Amino acid sequence: MKENTTGRLLYADLLRALAMVAVIVVHVCGNNWPGMDVHSTEWQILNGFDSLVRWCVPVFVMLSGMFFLDPQRNVTYKSIFRKNLPRIAAAFLIWSTFYALYTALLNSRAGTPDSLWQIITNIAFGHYHLWFIYMIMGLYLITPILRLFIKGASRRDLEYFLLLYFVFTLFLPMFNGTQVGQVVSGVVYRLDLKMLGGYIGYFVAGYYFKTYDFTPKVKKLIYAAGILGTLWTWGMTVAASLDWNAPNETWFLYVTPNVAMMSVGIFLFFKEHCHGNRLGKRGLAFCLKVSQLSFGMYLVHAFFNSRLVALGLNAATWTPLVAVPVATALVFLLSFLAAWIMSHIPFLRKYGM
């Protein structure tokens, strides 16, 4: 497992940098995906882009879990409650306030000003992309308990936990809305396995897949599952959308088996094969810098995405084959530059990113 001179895992940095690009693709596509005619070629292309990158958020959670749950790392109640949680909560408050005021300004110019209570509510709930911070804070809160479990757990224990998560959180909910699903959901409700909900499985999976090795046969099966998950995401989204005669995002949700298969496949692939060998010194240095600035880029990218839309550049400005890469590249570069500048401002470096 290759590390750079600072002890960082190279594949984790490379995967974090790519995940940041993937998040931008999701939000660039999201500007137009919900409102386009599902029978159009443009929507099909846009759906293809979006389907390819749905692994981005689960992989970010896995990357957090692989470090926070590592028994070899000094993660304590003190470090979580005095460092990690305050930092991320401060970043949320700063950027949620920024986006709430920015939205209020736009609404005021449009002749529909927000009330003071609406602004306060927007700050409390956060801009659409800041939901991720709430979710991560929730995982941080239970990290001390999870670390005790990890410390005493065998490989089989972790596999049992992940199996339960896959079955009850990812797989069985697929049947919701069907006649069989009414019975299944009723049984699952009575089992009351709320501790398996949300993103906790991805958090634990990050540690599991980082820690343990797999036979070549198992690796091939996981890669095949990842490819299948990608095709599943694309194909079922097309089928469900055509059935609705409108975009249907059921199979885009991050807690679905198809997205989980994609996420695990790409995580393991990067662990086994991507260590920056072919990037060259400058390319590797740039990817590492993107990784270091990824949180700041995540916080600010939604602003640049919205500004480009306001200027008339979105995923449907031209054919999506051109518009999506161009818009993604512009949002990425602007976000990188902004995050780099913020990293040189002491207050924002400490609290805002």
Side-chain angles (χ1 to χ4, degrees), residues 158-177:
L158 293 176
E159 290 169 349
Y160 176 65
F161 177 87
L162 293 175
L163 176 63
L164 289 178
Y165 180 78
F166 184 86
V167 171
F168 289 101
T169 303
L170 305 180
F171 181 73
L172 291 181
M174 285 195 311
F175 299 99
N176 290 347

Side-chain angles (χ1 to χ4, degrees), residues 98-149:
F98 168 81
Y99 282 108
L101 295 177
Y102 170 65
T103 300
L105 176 62
L106 294 180
N107 289 341
S108 179
R109 289 180 174 178
T112 56
D114 292 342
S115 66
L116 177 59
W117 181 247
Q118 184 61 56
I119 294 174
I120 293 172
T121 301
N122 288 344
I123 292 173
F125 291 161
H127 199 246
Y128 73 86
H129 71 300
L130 297 182
W131 71 270
F132 179 84
I133 298 183
Y134 265 129
M135 180 266 291
I136 286 294
M137 286 195 290
L139 291 173
Y140 284 179
L141 286 173
I142 63 171
T143 287
I145 299 170
L146 287 176
R147 283 177 59 83
L148 289 175
F149 165 62

Side-chain angles (χ1 to χ4, degrees), residues 8 12-13 16-17 286-295:
R8 298 175 67 95
D13 280 312
R16 186 178 292 107
F286 178 71
C287 287
L288 295 180
K289 179 56 69 174
V290 172
S291 176
Q292 293 166 4
L293 296 175
S294 60
F295 185 52

